Amino acid sequence: MAVIQSRQWEANAPLTADQQDSLTALTQLLGSRSMPELPSFPAFAVPLSHVSSMPTSAEIWERLNSAAVSVEDEQQEMSWRDLLDVARNCQIACTNLRDDIDKALNMLTDLDADRKNVMSKNSTLHEACEGIVAEQTRLNKMIDSLHHKLQYFDYLEIVQRQLSGSMSVVLDEHFVGVLTRLEESIHFLSAHPQYKDAESYVNRLAQLQRKALQMVKTFVIQTLRTVTVAVQQQARENRLAGTAVDNTNLFYVKFRASASSIKRLTEELEKRVSINSDFANTLWECQECYYQERLSLLSNPMKENFTAIASNNDLSTALRSSCSYLLSVCHQEFQLFHAFFPTSSANEGLWGLMEGLGAGLYDNIHPLVIQQTEVDSLCELVEVLRTEVIEEQLETKGESLSALYSLFHRLLQDVQERLIYRTQIYIRDNIDGFMPEQEHLNYPSRLQHASQNASLPSAVATDSNGSPSAGLTLPSTSHSDTFRNLYDTWYPTLERTLLVLSKIYRRLETSIFEGLAQEAVSVCTRSLLSASEIITTQQSPTDGQLFLIKHLLIFREQITPFDISFTVRETAFDFNPTKAAVMRILRGEGFRMTDNQSVLHFVQETAPKLVESQLDSKKDLERELKRACESFILTSTR
């Protein structure tokens, strides 16, 4: 082993500055001291020649270093030997472990072979069990299927026993299930006609179903009639005792109490209406019985109430009260109907019931309308029917009262027809047939007695809809006396025409009002022309012309708010060619029919002609006003 020199130590393990300073100080301290005396060793005699060859300190340190290295090498060799022994022991242990692993692998191989053998046997057993379970499942399904199919056959005897009892079976809570099972059995057997005796069972089940439906119908009809008789008897007793009858409690409470027992049956009928005609027919018969019983119960009391209302009030109040009463009853009837037949939609039968109840109102009101001669009263009736009844009540309550639309519209049309007729009579008698007295023609004296303040600010009177209510431009209420004086200066036919037009405006259809307005304006214009001619004869041409101009200007101004055209289109036959041909024949001026063309030509020439004409009373008024102004200008400039 090489000896490590001090230079190598210094190179391999350099000292720090502090260490070098400490080493330098130690070297100086040791250098200043003498070598210690060596001990005497008597056993050995050292020659003097050898004393001179004692090693120096550097050599001693080098030898010490070599000894230390030699000791370290021996210690390292011993550690390597220990490691070698450990490695040999590990090699022996690993060899033993490898032998044990080989034995374990051999055992595992044998165990795996045994496992595979067991798994093979288990798989075979599992497959056999699965086959048995599948067969069991198939057999169970077959049993369930057979049981499910046989129950429809077995149900025949069960239903026969259930329906063989009295009518009380209908009240049983399981009776609805009987109807359901019958329908299911018939449907199933009808869908599988290949089953033995399926057709026979279908017929027998259908007979039982018809019997059950007949029991339902009988129960419903008997219940309705029993309740009706009870209510009528109670009403009769109340009438004899002089007790006031509460229609709500008497006519509805008992029916609502009986509705619960009928409702559960009618619900089943309603569910199957679309798939079975027998259910539909039974439901229809039950509803017809319900309509008849309700109509027989309510018709007479309602007619009596309508008569009492009409006899104790004026016509407009009677109409308003009768309509409110009818609407209230019909709304309750709609709710009661759905208490018996919850899912049925309103049909013709219910509409017929409501119309039958409303017939009493129509029979009482219609004769009174026919007897009514006042235009104001008829206008009020139109307003009540159209605004208060149809718009405010019928349209807000929707389907429950839709059956009354036709009744109230027919009554409204009757009132409007009567209003049209009385308006025409009014125009004929009070405008066209007006016979003026001397005070009506005393112009300009009437104007001299009128108020001097004739040009007051005006305000157009309107009704609740914002439309002209009078067709007149009225002064403010603070000048009513002045207005009365101005109004008195108008010719009566002008006043009457504007008043009657303002009353019927918005109460009639636009096309009908246009026809009446055209007629009224034409008649009034003629009456003003006639009055002007009389004034011209009695007073002077100037007075007559000024009278006509004044009234035509007022007339034109007052009809402006009416948003209509005062035009009527008339169609008539012109018989003048026919008349001329007949006159020629009578005078002996014959004609020759030489061929078919001559006959055709004669017929075409002598046939009546269809002539259309258009009458515009507003243009006629403008034309008369223009003519009157031109005449006045010519008269004034002469």
Side-chain angles (χ1 to χ4, degrees):
M1 179 178 293
V3 179
I4 299 175
Q5 302 294 326
S6 58
R7 289 188 300 272
Q8 293 179 347
W9 276 100
E10 292 176 0
N12 294 329
L15 299 178
T16 61
D18 294 337
Q19 293 174 346
Q20 290 179 357
D21 294 339
S22 297
L23 183 61
T24 302
L26 181 61
T27 303
Q28 293 176 357
L29 179 62
L30 294 176
S32 62
R33 291 183 179 182
S34 61
M35 294 293 293
E37 294 182 0
L38 295 172
S40 61
F41 296 97
F44 300 96
V46 179
L48 293 174
S49 58
H50 291 169
V51 174
S52 59
S53 62
M54 289 296 292
T56 64
S57 59
E59 292 176 349
I60 292 171
W61 280 107
E62 183 176 356
R63 291 177 181 178
L64 289 175
N65 191 16
S66 299
V69 171
S70 177
V71 172
E72 288 178 358
D73 291 339
E74 290 179 357
Q75 291 177 350
Q76 186 174 8
E77 182 179 358
M78 291 177 67
S79 65
W80 280 110
R81 288 176 180 176
D82 293 338
L83 290 176
L84 180 60
D85 293 338
V86 172
R88 288 174 179 174
N89 293 332
C90 289
Q91 182 179 10
I92 295 171
C94 289
T95 301
N96 295 333
L97 180 61
R98 184 187 61 186
D99 294 339
D100 293 338
I101 291 174
D102 291 338
K103 292 178 181 180
L105 289 176
N106 293 330
M107 294 175 65
L108 289 176
T109 302
D110 297 337
L111 183 61
D112 184 62
D114 295 338
R115 181 187 63 81
K116 290 181 179 179
N117 187 20
V118 172
M119 288 182 61
S120 176
K121 294 180 179 179
N122 287 338
S123 177
T124 304
L125 181 60
H126 181 69
E127 291 177 358
C129 292
E130 285 184 346
I132 294 174
V133 171
E135 182 66 17
Q136 183 183 9
T137 304
R138 186 182 66 82
L139 292 176
N140 289 333
K141 289 182 179 179
M142 183 180 295
I143 293 173
D144 293 339
S145 177
L146 291 175
H147 178 71
H148 176 72
K149 296 174 182 177
L150 288 176
Q151 68 179 351
Y152 297 109
F153 293 89
D154 297 337
Y155 195 62
L156 177 64
E157 297 180 0
I158 299 175
V159 175
Q160 283 179 341
R161 289 194 300 268
Q162 291 177 338
L163 298 182
S164 60
S166 61
M167 187 62 64
S168 60
V169 69
V170 179
L171 298 175
D172 189 355
E173 61 180 5
H174 300 294
F175 184 78
V176 173
V178 171
L179 294 176
T180 303
R181 292 293 301 276
L182 277 173
E183 180 66 22
E184 291 176 354
S185 299
I186 293 174
H187 178 73
F188 177 81
L189 294 177
S190 298
H192 300 84
Q194 71 275 14
Y195 293 165
K196 184 179 180 180
D197 297 333
E199 183 178 358
S200 174
Y201 274 84
V202 168
N203 295 332
R204 296 168 65 183
L205 288 170
Q207 291 177 358
L208 291 176
Q209 186 184 63
R210 286 190 290 270
K211 181 179 179 180
L213 293 177
Q214 182 64 31
M215 296 174 68
V216 171
K217 183 182 72 174
T218 304
F219 171 76
V220 172
I221 292 175
Q222 288 181 354
T223 303
L224 291 174
R225 290 178 178 175
T226 301
V227 177
T228 301
V229 171
V231 172
Q232 289 175 341
Q233 181 65 26
Q234 184 65 39
R236 192 178 302 109
E237 293 175 359
N238 292 340
R239 191 179 300 109
L240 293 176
T243 305
V245 179
D246 187 351
N247 291 339
T248 302
N249 294 329
L250 186 60
F251 294 154
Y252 292 98
V253 173
K254 289 188 176 182
F255 271 86
R256 288 194 178 98
S258 63
S260 58
S261 60
I262 296 177
K263 177 181 177 181
R264 64 186 183 85
L265 299 175
T266 56
E267 281 181 331
E268 293 300 318
L269 297 179
E270 290 167 342
K271 291 178 183 177
R272 294 170 175 79
V273 164
S274 60
I275 60 177
N276 194 318
S277 60
D278 292 335
F279 283 85
N281 294 333
T282 303
L283 179 63
W284 180 82
E285 291 176 357
C286 292
Q287 290 179 348
E288 285 298 314
C289 177
Y290 170 82
Y291 300 143
Q292 294 174 4
E293 296 301 321
R294 294 301 298 173
L295 185 61
S296 64
L297 180 64
L298 294 174
S299 58
N300 290 331
M302 290 188 67
K303 288 180 181 178
E304 294 174 359
N305 288 337
F306 288 138
T307 303
I309 293 173
S311 60
N312 297 329
N313 300 280
D314 60 273
L315 183 54
S316 61
T317 304
L319 177 62
R320 187 180 290 107
S321 301
S322 298
C323 291
S324 298
Y325 173 64
L326 176 61
L327 292 172
S328 176
V329 171
C330 290
H331 184 64
Q332 294 184 70
E333 285 300 312
F334 183 82
Q335 293 178 338
L336 184 62
F337 172 80
H338 285 287
F340 281 90
F341 308 97
T343 60
S344 293
S345 59
N347 51 28
E348 295 181 359
L350 182 59
W351 299 154
L353 171 62
M354 292 186 180
E355 290 176 356
L357 297 177
L361 181 146
Y362 186 84
D363 294 339
N364 278 276
I365 298 298
H366 185 262
L368 300 178
V369 172
I370 298 301
Q371 298 172 8
Q372 186 60 245
T373 59
E374 296 295 331
V375 173
D376 292 338
S377 299
L378 292 172
C379 290
E380 186 177 359
L381 294 180
V382 171
E383 196 66 25
V384 169
L385 284 172
R386 186 169 58 188
T387 303
E388 298 181 15
V389 177
I390 296 177
E391 293 180 0
E392 296 181 0
Q393 298 192 49
L394 281 185
E395 294 182 355
T396 56
K397 293 186 178 180
E399 181 187 6
S400 62
L401 299 177
S402 58
L404 298 177
Y405 271 103
S406 60
L407 172 68
F408 287 123
H409 277 290
R410 182 175 61 174
L411 188 57
L412 176 61
Q413 290 174 355
D414 292 341
V415 176
Q416 289 178 332
E417 288 179 1
R418 183 65 180 173
L419 177 60
I420 294 170
Y421 173 73
R422 293 307 306 173
T423 302
Q424 292 175 335
I425 297 298
Y426 183 87
I427 294 173
R428 184 194 67 187
D429 296 341
N430 296 283
I431 300 176
D432 193 20
F434 175 72
M435 300 299 295
E437 298 179 2
Q438 185 60 36
E439 60 177 346
H440 299 143
L441 302 172
N442 190 16
Y443 285 88
S445 299
R446 293 186 64 182
L447 299 176
Q448 295 173 355
H449 295 293
S451 174
Q452 298 299 322
N453 190 13
S455 58
L456 293 174
S458 59
V460 178
T462 59
D463 58 12
S464 60
N465 297 324
S467 60
S469 62
L472 303 173
T473 304
L474 303 178
S476 59
T477 56
S478 61
H479 304 285
S480 57
D481 294 336
T482 303
F483 168 69
R484 185 69 257 174
N485 293 332
L486 291 175
Y487 195 78
D488 289 340
T489 63
W490 290 5
Y491 193 63
T493 56
L494 175 61
E495 174 190 353
R496 296 173 183 178
T497 300
L498 294 175
L499 286 177
V500 73
L501 290 180
S502 65
K503 291 174 182 177
I504 65 174
Y505 187 57
R506 302 298 188 192
R507 272 74 180 181
L508 299 174
E509 298 294 334
T510 302
S511 58
I512 298 175
F513 178 77
E514 287 179 350
L516 292 175
Q518 189 275 333
E519 179 183 358
V521 171
S522 297
V523 172
C524 182
T525 302
R526 289 200 303 268
S527 69
L528 293 176
L529 291 173
S530 176
S532 175
E533 292 176 358
I534 297 175
I535 293 173
T536 300
T537 302
Q538 294 181 356
Q539 303 294 335
S540 67
T542 302
D543 293 334
Q545 292 167 355
L546 291 176
F547 166 84
L548 183 60
I549 292 172
K550 170 183 170 21
H551 283 80
L552 290 179
L553 286 173
I554 294 174
F555 199 14
R556 184 182 66 175
E557 178 185 359
Q558 296 300 327
I559 65 175
T560 300
F562 297 111
D563 188 18
I564 61 169
S565 62
F566 295 84
T567 304
V568 174
R569 188 179 299 274
E570 293 184 350
T571 303
F573 282 101
D574 183 9
F575 289 93
N576 289 329
T578 305
K579 180 181 178 181
V582 172
M583 295 299 296
R584 288 198 304 271
I585 294 174
L586 293 177
R587 288 196 301 268
E589 299 176 1
F591 59 90
R592 296 179 180 180
M593 298 183 183
T594 57
D595 52 17
N596 295 333
Q597 293 183 353
S598 300
V599 175
L600 181 61
H601 180 71
F602 175 77
V603 171
Q604 290 177 347
E605 288 185 350
T606 59
K609 306 295 183 182
L610 185 63
V611 179
E612 291 187 359
S613 59
Q614 184 173 351
L615 304 178
D616 191 338
S617 57
K618 191 172 184 180
K619 288 185 178 180
D620 294 340
L621 187 151
E622 297 282 355
R623 185 167 53 253
E624 295 298 335
L625 177 60
K626 180 180 179 181
R627 183 182 295 120
C629 292
E630 291 176 351
S631 299
F632 176 73
I633 293 173
L634 291 176
T635 302
S636 301
T637 55
R638 287 179 181 175

